[in-house]
Amino acid sequence: MDEPQALAAFAALAQEHRLRLVRVLVTAGPDGLASGVLAEAVGVSAATVSHHLKELSHAGLVASRRAGRSIIYSAAYPALSGLIAFLMKDCCQGRPEVCTPAMAALAPCCPALGETAHA
């Protein structure tokens, strides 16, 4: 991920409903959720969630696919990973204690990272 992509991603996430949508989609996993379910989960109208999903999609943070008459949205995990990597790429500058807390925070969901962080 380069700086313009990171800026677009951060701009898209700098709104409470869009941030909530991404968090719901990350929790939902790769199978994703229909827009109606997302609207209910975030507490906004279908039209509003559609607008926010469009913004997140333009930033590359959300993917969509058609399933019958529904559109299913899912987190774009490679883009989200790229955003995290962009932030953390040069974090420790030879001082691993700087990055260890961030790696430890991911350990509950990514056991392999926890092993690496403690090595």
Side-chain angles (χ1 to χ4, degrees):
M1 177 168 288
D2 60 19
E3 190 171 293
Q5 291 170 316
L7 288 169
F10 284 123
L13 292 170
Q15 199 284 339
E16 67 179 305
H17 294 123
R18 290 195 287 264
L19 182 59
R20 287 181 192 159
L21 284 166
V22 169
R23 293 188 75 197
V24 168
L25 288 171
V26 166
T27 302
D31 291 339
L33 296 169
S35 61
V37 174
L38 288 167
E40 188 175 314
V42 176
V44 297
S45 70
T48 299
V49 84
S50 177
H51 165 74
H52 290 310
L53 289 167
K54 180 183 74 159
E55 293 296 319
L56 291 166
S57 180
H58 284 304
L61 300 174
V62 170
S64 63
R65 70 182 186 284
R66 185 164 290 284
R69 292 180 8 163
S70 297
I71 297 177
I72 306 298
Y73 295 89
S74 57
Y77 292 100
L80 293 168
S81 295
L83 185 59
I84 293 166
F86 176 83
L87 286 174
M88 301 300 293
K89 181 179 176 186
D90 301 316
C91 73
C92 68
Q93 298 293 308
R95 296 178 40 220
E97 72 276 4
V98 174
C99 293
T100 299
M103 298 301 287
L106 293 173
C109 68
C110 307
L113 288 175
E115 293 168 13
T116 303
H118 299 299

